Structures are given as C-alpha cells and as structure tokens.
Amino acid sequence: DVKVTQSSRYLVKRTGEKVFLECVQDMDHENMFWYRQDPGLGLRLIYFSYDVKMKEKGDIPEGYSVSREKKERFSLILESASTNQTSMYLCASTHRRAAGANVLTFGAGSRLTVL
Amino acid sequence: DAKTTQPPSMDCAEGRAANLPCNHSTISGNEYVYWYRQIHSQGPQYIIHGLKNNETNEMASLIITEDRKSSTLILPHATLRDTAVYYCIVYGNKLVFGAGTILRVKS
C-alpha cells in the first residue's frame, strides 16, 4: 500500500523552539506539499516542492521554511515556534501534473501544540 | 482558482444513497472537479475526479452537469464509516480546500 508517512503524530513544543516536521513518501512522487489545518479555516497551503531542492511558497509561508534534499523526503521547519503555529500539519504528495492527474496522497497528520 | 460552495452539513440514513452537492459556477474549461473526504483525525483521502463526463469508481459516482457549474458526489450505500467531511475542489493552479460538507451517516 502506498504511503505518506509523517514522523510524529503528536508534538508539544515551547515558544521559541526550532521544530522539524518530517514527511516521507514511497511512491516516487515528484510533488510534495505541506498544509496546515485549523478549525473554520480548512486546509491552507504552506509550501510545496516540484523537485529535489526546489520549493515554492504557498498561501501562508510566513514563519516556516522547508527542505527537499531527497525526492522522497520533504521537511517543514519552524525556526522559532509560536503559539499561533499550534495546528494540525498535513503532508501530501503527487506525481508531476499530467492532465487531470493531481490525486494527492496525504499523510495522517502531525498535531503540533506550542506552549 | 474557481471557488466551490457546499452545504455545511448533511445527514443520511445508513444503507441509503448520500448525495452531496457542490456549486462551482466559475469553473474554467480545463479545470477538473475533485472530491476528497477526511475522517476524524486522519488526512484527507481522495475519492474521485472528473472533467466533463460522469465518473464512477469503487467508492462513489460523480455527476457533473452539462454546463459544469455544479456536481454531485453519490455514495450509493452509505455506511457509518462514511461519516466524514467531504471536500469538493476545483483544480486550477493548486488544490484549494474549502470548509467542505460534514456528512453524518446515522443508523
């Protein structure tokens, strides 16, 4: 079964800490995405990557950075965590877009609490 | 990206068909309609997508109106495990998730 694996389901961090959220996919997908999900706001795109070492800002990149050193791994980094970054973080991947072929496979999510 | 409008919630009796509507009146000719669902505490799961023609797979059917301004997702025999938030998305440059419809399947 194809999978997108997020390293941590639940994390609790303190304000100002550096936080790494890891995502690994085993489907040889070119495209990878990081979303955050908050009640009433739906899923919002933070960053995405179309290839190794490539990254593009999504709708809410402020306070985040990403790293894509290997095709299968896409990391989300919170340089200095703040309480307003408490959220559910979802990683997803898909093959490079062909006509109609944008079926995202999501991980189970990482629920981050910043105290 | 085209916007979608979905009812905030719906109820369905177990074993009956669940019909979830979606309006996407600003859809462009080359934009696909995608449906995902999210069961509590899990990541969204792909269900089905289509461009112009009706589509069916093992999970659901997708009916798209001829003018493509709306669509309906049909779960033919809803079960309690189909209780979830269902998202209708029109793909432009990226997948944008709205608030979705909370479907409650009741026994």
Side-chain angles (χ1 to χ4, degrees):
Chain A
D1 198 12
V2 294
K3 286 209 182 304
V4 175
T5 303
Q6 296 183 228
S7 56
S8 303
R9 286 301 309 271
Y10 301 95
L11 303 95
V12 179
K13 298 292 182 181
R14 297 207 176 273
T15 301
E17 279 193 80
K18 190 170 186 175
V19 181
F20 292 86
L21 299 178
E22 305 285 345
C23 175
V24 177
Q25 50 92 6
D26 63 1
M27 297 166 282
D28 202 35
H29 284 169
E30 294 84 9
N31 303 340
M32 296 188 74
F33 305 81
W34 275 105
Y35 290 86
R36 66 177 282 177
Q37 184 173 30
D38 302 286
L41 296 176
L43 277 78
R44 293 179 290 167
L45 182 63
I46 304 172
Y47 267 98
F48 57 102
S49 169
Y50 288 140
D51 205 343
V52 176
K53 297 193 184 296
M54 292 183 67
K55 60 184 178 183
E56 299 273 351
K57 292 181 180 179
D59 298 317
I60 51 163
E62 296 78 19
Y64 302 95
S65 61
V66 290
S67 174
R68 184 105 182 261
E69 295 297 318
K70 294 184 177 182
K71 188 176 186 180
E72 67 270 18
R73 188 179 298 270
F74 192 37
S75 302
L76 181 69
I77 303 156
L78 289 66
E79 294 289 343
S80 178
S82 63
T83 55
N84 63 11
Q85 293 178 310
T86 291
S87 186
M88 169 70 88
Y89 291 88
L90 290 158
C91 175
S93 70
T94 185
H95 278 299
R96 182 167 291 132
R97 186 187 179 193
N102 264 284
V103 176
L104 287 176
T105 301
F106 282 86
S110 297
R111 185 166 293 281
L112 171 67
T113 301
V114 182
L115 302 175
Chain B
D1 297 298
K3 294 277 192 278
T4 62
T5 304
Q6 298 177 253
S9 65
M10 296 180 63
D11 291 337
C12 178
E14 189 177 20
R16 305 297 294 267
N19 296 283
L20 292 93
C22 180
N23 287 322
H24 31 79
S25 58
T26 60
I27 192 171
S28 299
N30 61 348
E31 290 179 323
Y32 283 73
V33 179
Y34 286 76
W35 283 84
Y36 284 75
R37 74 180 183 184
Q38 188 173 22
I39 296 169
H40 184 61
S41 297
Q42 298 182 22
Q45 174 192 24
Y46 165 79
I47 302 172
I48 199 167
H49 74 283
L51 182 63
K52 295 180 181 179
N53 300 321
N54 298 336
E55 303 288 343
T56 295
N57 63 20
E58 65 279 2
M59 289 182 68
S61 295
L62 174 61
I63 308 298
I64 303 174
T65 58
E66 193 169 341
D67 63 8
R68 302 206 329 118
K69 292 185 177 181
S70 65
S71 61
T72 301
L73 178 75
I74 301 171
L75 308 178
H77 305 287
T79 70
L80 297 178
R81 287 182 292 182
D82 292 321
T83 293
V85 179
Y86 286 78
Y87 298 99
C88 168
I89 301 155
V90 171
Y91 182 83
N93 294 318
K94 54 185 183 288
L95 284 169
V96 177
F97 287 75
T101 296
I102 299 171
L103 175 68
R104 300 184 189 90
V105 180
K106 299 183 175 181
S107 57

